[in-house]
Protein backbone atom coordinates (compact mmCIF):
# COMPACT_ATOMS: atom_id res chain seq x y z
CA UNK A 1 0.00 0.00 0.00
CA UNK A 2 1.32 3.40 -1.01
CA UNK A 3 -0.03 6.53 0.66
CA UNK A 4 0.17 9.97 -0.93
CA UNK A 5 -0.94 13.12 0.85
CA UNK A 6 -1.97 16.27 -1.02
CA UNK A 7 -2.87 19.75 0.16
CA UNK A 8 -6.58 19.64 -0.70
CA UNK A 9 -9.23 17.73 -2.63
CA UNK A 10 -8.42 19.50 -5.90
CA UNK A 11 -4.86 18.23 -5.73
CA UNK A 12 -6.16 14.73 -4.97
CA UNK A 13 -8.42 14.96 -8.04
CA UNK A 14 -5.55 16.14 -10.21
CA UNK A 15 -3.38 13.20 -9.16
CA UNK A 16 -6.21 10.72 -9.67
CA UNK A 17 -7.06 12.08 -13.12
CA UNK A 18 -3.43 11.75 -14.18
CA UNK A 19 -3.46 8.09 -13.17
CA UNK A 20 -6.62 7.54 -15.23
CA UNK A 21 -5.08 9.37 -18.19
CA UNK A 22 -1.95 7.20 -18.00
CA UNK A 23 -3.95 3.96 -17.92
CA UNK A 24 -6.17 5.06 -20.82
CA UNK A 25 -3.15 6.17 -22.85
CA UNK A 26 -1.43 2.83 -22.35
CA UNK A 27 -4.58 0.78 -22.98
CA UNK A 28 -7.25 2.60 -25.03
CA UNK A 29 -9.80 -0.18 -24.39
CA UNK A 30 -9.11 -0.40 -20.67
CA UNK A 31 -11.72 -1.63 -18.20
CA UNK A 32 -12.30 0.97 -15.50
CA UNK A 33 -13.99 0.36 -12.17
CA UNK A 34 -15.83 3.49 -11.08
CA UNK A 35 -17.31 4.80 -7.85
CA UNK A 36 -20.04 7.23 -6.85
CA UNK A 37 -20.43 9.69 -3.99
CA UNK A 38 -19.13 13.21 -3.53
CA UNK A 39 -15.44 12.30 -3.29
CA UNK A 40 -14.83 11.32 -6.96
CA UNK A 41 -16.78 14.24 -8.46
CA UNK A 42 -13.72 16.55 -8.73
CA UNK A 43 -11.83 13.73 -10.44
CA UNK A 44 -14.67 13.21 -12.92
CA UNK A 45 -14.71 16.94 -13.68
CA UNK A 46 -11.01 16.78 -14.52
CA UNK A 47 -11.53 13.73 -16.73
CA UNK A 48 -14.27 15.58 -18.61
CA UNK A 49 -11.91 18.50 -19.18
CA UNK A 50 -9.09 16.23 -20.34
CA UNK A 51 -11.47 14.54 -22.77
CA UNK A 52 -12.86 17.80 -24.16
CA UNK A 53 -9.32 19.13 -24.62
CA UNK A 54 -8.35 16.02 -26.56
CA UNK A 55 -5.89 14.53 -24.09
CA UNK A 56 -7.82 11.32 -23.40
CA UNK A 57 -10.24 9.29 -25.51
CA UNK A 58 -13.05 7.24 -23.97
CA UNK A 59 -14.44 5.85 -27.23
CA UNK A 60 -13.15 2.30 -26.55
CA UNK A 61 -13.21 2.39 -22.75
CA UNK A 62 -15.43 0.00 -20.79
CA UNK A 63 -16.63 0.77 -17.27
CA UNK A 64 -18.12 -1.18 -14.38
CA UNK A 65 -19.51 0.66 -11.39
CA UNK A 66 -19.22 -0.68 -7.88
CA UNK A 67 -22.82 -0.63 -6.75
CA UNK A 68 -26.45 0.40 -7.01
CA UNK A 69 -29.42 0.67 -4.68
CA UNK A 70 -31.89 -2.21 -4.66
CA UNK A 71 -35.28 -1.03 -5.90
CA UNK A 72 -34.23 2.14 -7.72
CA UNK A 73 -34.66 2.37 -11.48
CA UNK A 74 -31.84 3.85 -13.59
CA UNK A 75 -34.02 6.91 -14.14
CA UNK A 76 -34.39 7.67 -10.42
CA UNK A 77 -32.43 10.85 -9.60
CA UNK A 78 -30.79 9.13 -6.61
CA UNK A 79 -29.74 6.01 -8.54
CA UNK A 80 -26.08 5.52 -9.25
CA UNK A 81 -26.72 5.06 -12.97
CA UNK A 82 -28.33 8.51 -12.99
CA UNK A 83 -25.36 9.87 -11.01
CA UNK A 84 -22.80 8.46 -13.42
CA UNK A 85 -24.62 9.79 -16.47
CA UNK A 86 -24.93 13.22 -14.91
CA UNK A 87 -21.42 13.45 -13.48
CA UNK A 88 -19.40 11.77 -16.24
CA UNK A 89 -20.90 9.70 -19.06
CA UNK A 90 -23.08 12.43 -20.58
CA UNK A 91 -20.03 14.68 -20.98
CA UNK A 92 -17.41 12.40 -22.57
CA UNK A 93 -17.15 10.43 -25.80
CA UNK A 94 -17.96 7.07 -24.25
CA UNK A 95 -20.32 4.50 -25.74
CA UNK A 96 -23.08 4.13 -23.12
CA UNK A 97 -23.37 0.47 -24.14
CA UNK A 98 -19.89 0.01 -22.69
CA UNK A 99 -20.87 1.46 -19.31
CA UNK A 100 -22.25 -0.92 -16.70
CA UNK A 101 -23.93 -0.40 -13.34
CA UNK A 102 -25.32 -3.32 -11.31
CA UNK A 103 -29.09 -3.65 -11.59
CA UNK A 104 -31.05 -3.42 -8.36
CA UNK A 105 -34.30 -4.41 -10.09
CA UNK A 106 -35.83 -7.82 -10.70
CA UNK A 107 -33.89 -10.93 -9.65
CA UNK A 108 -31.04 -9.15 -7.88
CA UNK A 109 -29.31 -12.40 -6.87
CA UNK A 110 -29.11 -13.39 -10.54
CA UNK A 111 -28.02 -9.85 -11.41
CA UNK A 112 -25.13 -10.20 -8.96
CA UNK A 113 -23.96 -13.46 -10.53
CA UNK A 114 -24.25 -12.01 -14.02
CA UNK A 115 -22.25 -8.93 -13.03
CA UNK A 116 -19.26 -10.97 -11.85
CA UNK A 117 -19.42 -13.05 -15.04
CA UNK A 118 -19.53 -9.92 -17.22
CA UNK A 119 -16.42 -8.45 -15.56
CA UNK A 120 -14.62 -11.75 -16.01
CA UNK A 121 -15.54 -11.84 -19.71
CA UNK A 122 -14.23 -8.29 -20.08
CA UNK A 123 -10.83 -9.45 -18.82
CA UNK A 124 -11.07 -7.97 -15.33
CA UNK A 125 -10.76 -4.41 -14.12
CA UNK A 126 -7.56 -2.59 -15.06
CA UNK A 127 -8.02 0.35 -12.68
CA UNK A 128 -10.50 0.41 -9.81
CA UNK A 129 -11.46 3.71 -8.19
CA UNK A 130 -12.63 3.55 -4.57
CA UNK A 131 -13.82 5.85 -1.85
CA UNK A 132 -14.06 4.87 1.80
CA UNK A 133 -17.03 5.09 4.13
CA UNK A 134 -16.90 6.49 7.63
CA UNK A 135 -17.12 2.92 8.92
CA UNK A 136 -14.44 1.70 6.51
CA UNK A 137 -16.73 0.23 3.87
CA UNK A 138 -15.62 0.05 0.24
CA UNK A 139 -18.30 -0.18 -2.40
CA UNK A 140 -21.26 -1.05 -0.22
CA UNK A 141 -19.33 -3.82 1.52
CA UNK A 142 -20.22 -3.05 5.13
CA UNK A 143 -18.33 -4.20 8.24
CA UNK A 144 -18.99 -7.88 8.88
CA UNK A 145 -18.15 -9.65 12.14
CA UNK A 146 -17.61 -12.99 10.43
CA UNK A 147 -15.93 -12.77 7.03
CA UNK A 148 -15.25 -10.74 3.89
CA UNK A 149 -17.90 -11.27 1.22
CA UNK A 150 -16.05 -11.96 -2.00
CA UNK A 151 -18.72 -12.14 -4.70
CA UNK A 152 -21.05 -9.40 -5.88
CA UNK A 153 -23.82 -9.56 -3.33
CA UNK A 154 -26.90 -7.97 -1.83
CA UNK A 155 -26.06 -5.95 1.27
CA UNK A 156 -28.22 -4.56 4.05
CA UNK A 157 -26.92 -1.08 4.72
CA UNK A 158 -25.89 0.05 8.17
CA UNK A 159 -27.58 3.05 9.75
CA UNK A 160 -24.39 5.11 9.44
CA UNK A 161 -24.32 4.49 5.68
CA UNK A 162 -28.01 5.30 5.38
CA UNK A 163 -27.45 8.54 7.30
CA UNK A 164 -24.42 9.47 5.17
CA UNK A 165 -26.35 8.89 1.93
CA UNK A 166 -29.58 10.56 3.02
CA UNK A 167 -28.37 13.86 1.50
CA UNK A 168 -29.41 12.47 -1.89
CA UNK A 169 -32.97 11.95 -0.69
CA UNK A 170 -35.57 14.20 0.91
CA UNK A 171 -35.17 12.27 4.17
CA UNK A 172 -33.35 9.21 5.51
CA UNK A 173 -36.56 7.15 5.43
CA UNK A 174 -36.43 7.26 1.62
CA UNK A 175 -32.93 5.73 1.42
CA UNK A 176 -33.15 2.10 0.25
CA UNK A 177 -32.12 -0.36 2.95
CA UNK A 178 -30.28 -2.66 0.57
CA UNK A 179 -27.77 -2.32 -2.25
CA UNK A 180 -26.09 -4.60 -4.78
CA UNK A 181 -22.32 -4.26 -4.62
CA UNK A 182 -19.21 -5.64 -6.25
CA UNK A 183 -17.72 -7.91 -3.62
CA UNK A 184 -14.34 -7.78 -1.98
CA UNK A 185 -13.09 -10.46 -4.37
CA UNK A 186 -14.05 -8.39 -7.40
CA UNK A 187 -12.31 -5.35 -5.98
CA UNK A 188 -9.19 -7.28 -5.04
CA UNK A 189 -9.02 -8.89 -8.50
CA UNK A 190 -8.49 -5.46 -10.06
CA UNK A 191 -5.02 -4.98 -11.50
CA UNK A 192 -4.61 -1.59 -9.83
CA UNK A 193 -6.61 0.24 -7.16
CA UNK A 194 -6.68 3.89 -6.16
CA UNK A 195 -8.63 4.99 -3.10
CA UNK A 196 -9.54 8.64 -2.67
CA UNK A 197 -10.33 10.15 0.72
CA UNK A 198 -10.86 13.81 1.54
CA UNK A 199 -12.04 15.57 4.65
CA UNK A 200 -11.44 15.07 8.36
CA UNK A 201 -14.53 12.89 8.64
CA UNK A 202 -12.70 10.09 6.81
CA UNK A 203 -9.52 10.32 8.91
CA UNK A 204 -10.39 7.58 11.42
CA UNK A 205 -11.34 5.09 8.71
CA UNK A 206 -8.18 5.94 6.75
CA UNK A 207 -5.99 5.51 9.83
CA UNK A 208 -7.51 2.13 10.67
CA UNK A 209 -7.26 0.92 7.07
CA UNK A 210 -3.61 1.92 6.80
CA UNK A 211 -2.35 1.12 10.29
CA UNK A 212 -4.76 -1.45 11.68
CA UNK A 213 -5.07 -5.19 11.22
CA UNK A 214 -6.81 -6.75 8.24
CA UNK A 215 -10.32 -7.47 9.45
CA UNK A 216 -13.80 -7.77 7.90
CA UNK A 217 -14.91 -5.33 10.60
CA UNK A 218 -13.09 -2.71 8.49
CA UNK A 219 -13.49 -3.81 4.85
CA UNK A 220 -10.95 -1.30 3.49
CA UNK A 221 -8.22 -2.99 5.54
CA UNK A 222 -8.15 -5.85 2.99
CA UNK A 223 -6.51 -3.47 0.53
CA UNK A 224 -3.20 -4.00 2.34
CA UNK A 225 -3.14 -7.46 0.78
CA UNK A 226 -3.24 -6.03 -2.77
CA UNK A 227 0.05 -5.61 -4.62
CA UNK A 228 -0.80 -2.36 -6.44
CA UNK A 229 -2.92 0.03 -4.38
CA UNK A 230 -2.49 3.75 -3.74
CA UNK A 231 -4.32 5.90 -1.21
CA UNK A 232 -4.63 9.50 -2.43
CA UNK A 233 -5.51 11.68 0.57
CA UNK A 234 -5.89 15.32 1.37
CA UNK A 235 -4.28 16.67 4.54
CA UNK A 236 -7.51 16.43 6.52
CA UNK A 237 -8.10 12.77 5.67
CA UNK A 238 -4.48 11.98 6.52
CA UNK A 239 -4.37 13.91 9.79
CA UNK A 240 -4.36 10.81 12.03
CA UNK A 241 -1.61 8.92 10.16
Amino acid sequence: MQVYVYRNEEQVAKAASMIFASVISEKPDAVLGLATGSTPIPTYKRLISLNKDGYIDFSRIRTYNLDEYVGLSPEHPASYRYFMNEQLFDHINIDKNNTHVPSGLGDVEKNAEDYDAAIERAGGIDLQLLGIGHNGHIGFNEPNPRAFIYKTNIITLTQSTIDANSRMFSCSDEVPRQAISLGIGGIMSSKRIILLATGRGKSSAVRDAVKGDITPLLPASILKAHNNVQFLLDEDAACLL
Side-chain angles (χ1 to χ4, degrees):
M1 178 184 291
Q2 299 169 307
V3 178
Y4 299 94
V5 180
Y6 301 89
R7 187 171 67 256
N8 52 42
E9 70 172 6
E10 283 302 318
Q11 293 301 309
V12 170
K14 181 178 180 180
S17 66
M18 290 299 99
I19 291 172
F20 271 95
S22 175
V23 169
I24 293 169
S25 176
E26 292 176 7
K27 188 177 181 181
D29 62 346
V31 179
L32 305 178
L34 301 179
T36 54
S38 58
T39 301
I41 289 177
T43 297
Y44 292 154
K45 287 181 178 178
R46 284 190 168 271
L47 292 178
I48 291 167
S49 294
L50 289 172
N51 179 240
K52 290 187 180 301
D53 291 341
Y55 292 110
I56 53 176
D57 176 17
F58 286 93
S59 62
R60 296 171 58 196
I61 293 297
R62 296 157 292 165
T63 70
Y64 289 85
N65 261 76
L66 283 167
D67 39 37
E68 180 59 282
Y69 289 113
V70 169
L72 293 193
S73 72
E75 296 77 28
H76 193 289
S79 76
Y80 286 160
R81 162 57 76 177
Y82 190 97
F83 174 97
M84 290 306 305
N85 288 344
E86 187 176 59
Q87 298 296 335
L88 183 63
F89 298 150
D90 286 346
H91 311 287
I92 58 176
N93 69 325
I94 197 165
D95 182 348
K96 288 277 188 69
N97 292 320
N98 287 335
T99 67
H100 307 87
V101 178
S103 174
L105 301 177
D107 187 343
V108 288
E109 298 289 349
K110 177 68 161 52
N111 296 345
E113 293 179 8
D114 291 346
Y115 205 65
D116 284 336
I119 292 173
E120 185 175 353
R121 287 195 302 272
I125 294 170
D126 294 299
L127 175 64
Q128 176 66 61
L129 176 66
L130 296 176
I132 185 170
H134 292 88
N135 62 3
H137 73 244
I138 47 177
F140 267 131
N141 295 285
E142 299 279 24
N144 188 314
R146 295 182 298 277
F148 292 104
I149 306 300
Y150 284 90
K151 294 183 178 181
T152 294
N153 61 110
I154 313 307
I155 294 165
T156 298
L157 305 182
T158 63
Q159 189 60 49
S160 66
T161 298
I162 291 169
D163 292 343
N165 291 350
S166 63
R167 67 189 185 280
M168 302 300 296
F169 299 81
S170 60
C171 65
S172 63
D173 289 343
E174 292 186 359
V175 182
R177 268 38 187 177
Q178 289 187 311
I180 180 172
S181 178
L182 187 68
I184 294 296
I187 292 171
M188 292 295 286
S189 295
S190 304
K191 299 175 181 68
R192 182 177 182 180
I193 298 170
I194 56 173
L195 183 146
L196 313 184
T198 58
R200 194 168 293 267
K202 300 295 180 71
S203 60
S204 294
V206 166
R207 176 200 60 202
D208 294 343
V210 173
K211 293 188 172 182
D213 295 331
I214 296 177
T215 170
L217 290 172
L218 192 95
S221 66
I222 192 68
L223 297 175
K224 286 190 287 194
H226 197 278
N227 64 5
N228 190 1
V229 57
Q230 292 85 40
F231 277 38
L232 310 183
L233 315 172
D234 70 359
E235 291 178 351
D236 284 339
C239 68
L240 298 180
L241 294 180

